[in-house]
């Protein structure tokens, strides 16, 4: 088991280094990344990172893709009368947003401040500030305060000091988190 832990640590470290280099290259190519923004591994800013702006305190989960152009235009240009079709657009994400894992954000989209985009969503329209969107295509779910109220009701009450030691927090969760599941619809 120890050898697997060592190999996993080496693999994770290599991925983290590659990701760090990728984000720095994107910033050098014009990506605007706000203060204290968090970008997890396997995020793609596409071939035009200079068209993407991320606000302060925003968190982008792993696997998110920013699409700043339509790749289909190369095929469309082969059709008579469409030889000059080109398609590019900007993407702007506001402050204090959370973008869920494996989401896709398409060009010409702006996400306002204090928004949540659910995991695996495809966002093709802009999101007003203080909203939650999810789905494919992503649609309005609720206001951010409604989502915060839901999270408050479902908060797991554990000793906050455990957050300083993830191993202890994990152990507490294993021992104390009840096995309750959402009912089927």
């Amino acid at each position: 088991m120890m050898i697997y832990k060592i190999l996993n640590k080496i693999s994770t470290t290599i991925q983290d280094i590659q990701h760090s280099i990728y984000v720095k290259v994107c910033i050098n190519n014009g990506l605007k990344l706000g203060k204290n923004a968090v970008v997890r591994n396997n995020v793609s800013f596409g071939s035009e990172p200079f068209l993407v702006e991320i606000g302060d305190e925003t968190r982008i989960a792993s696997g998110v893709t920013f699409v700043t152009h339509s790749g289909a235009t190369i095929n469309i240009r082969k059709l008579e009368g469409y030889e000059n079709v080109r398609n590019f657009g900007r993407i702007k994400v506001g402050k204090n947003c959370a973008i869920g894992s494996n989401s896709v954000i398409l060009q010409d989209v702006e996400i306002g401040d204090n928004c949540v985009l659910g995991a695996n969503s495809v966002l093709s329209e802009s999101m007003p500030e203080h909203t939650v969107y999810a789905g494919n295509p992503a649609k309005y779910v609720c206001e951010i305060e409604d989502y915060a109220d839901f999270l408050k009701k479902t908060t797991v009450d554990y000793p906050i000091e455990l957050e300083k030691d993830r191993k202890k927090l994990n152990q507490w969760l294993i021992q104390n988190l009840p096995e309750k599941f959402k009912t089927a619809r």
Side-chain angles (χ1 to χ4, degrees):
M1 183 53 85
M2 184 57 97
I3 192 86
Y4 292 118
K5 286 183 179 182
I6 292 169
L7 290 173
N8 185 51
K9 184 64 174 172
I10 291 169
S11 174
T12 302
T13 302
I14 290 170
Q15 289 174 5
D16 290 346
I17 291 168
Q18 288 173 325
H19 171 71
S20 178
I21 292 168
Y22 171 73
V23 171
K24 286 177 182 168
V25 166
C26 287
I27 290 169
N28 285 338
N29 286 326
L31 169 68
K32 294 180 181 103
L33 191 60
K35 190 168 73 170
N36 297 322
V38 175
V39 178
R40 296 291 180 207
N41 287 352
N42 301 317
V43 169
S44 173
F45 293 108
S47 53
E48 300 88 25
F50 51 87
L51 296 176
V52 179
E53 181 178 343
I54 309 296
D56 298 343
E57 305 292 336
T58 288
R59 300 178 62 82
I60 301 171
S62 64
V64 172
T65 301
F66 293 84
V67 179
T68 56
H69 71 277
S70 175
T73 58
I74 197 162
N75 300 87
I76 300 299
R77 289 194 297 263
K78 295 174 185 172
L79 302 174
E80 188 175 324
Y82 298 94
E83 296 84 3
N84 294 320
V85 170
R86 304 290 189 274
N87 188 279
F88 291 90
R90 296 181 184 280
I91 298 172
K92 183 177 181 181
V93 180
K95 297 175 184 173
N96 195 42
C97 293
I99 310 299
S101 297
N102 301 313
S103 292
V104 177
I105 302 171
L106 300 177
Q107 73 261 16
D108 299 320
V109 166
E110 180 177 3
I111 299 174
D113 295 342
N114 304 307
C115 287
V116 173
L117 179 61
N120 299 305
S121 295
V122 176
L123 185 65
S124 60
E125 62 184 51
S126 292
M127 291 176 60
E129 62 181 24
H130 307 290
T131 57
V132 177
Y133 276 51
N136 181 3
K139 296 292 181 197
Y140 173 84
V141 175
C142 62
E143 296 295 309
I144 196 72
E145 290 82 6
D146 297 329
Y147 185 55
D149 287 341
F150 169 78
L151 291 176
K152 192 174 186 179
K153 288 179 194 170
T154 59
T155 291
V156 175
D157 188 25
Y158 60 81
I160 297 298
E161 64 272 6
L162 292 177
E163 290 179 353
K164 295 176 187 169
D165 185 337
R166 188 60 197 218
K167 279 188 176 182
K168 287 182 181 177
L169 174 58
N170 290 350
Q171 203 54 42
W172 187 95
L173 292 170
I174 289 167
Q175 294 171 354
N176 297 291
L177 193 65
E179 288 195 29
K180 63 179 183 177
F181 303 96
K182 297 175 184 174
T183 54
R185 295 180 193 204

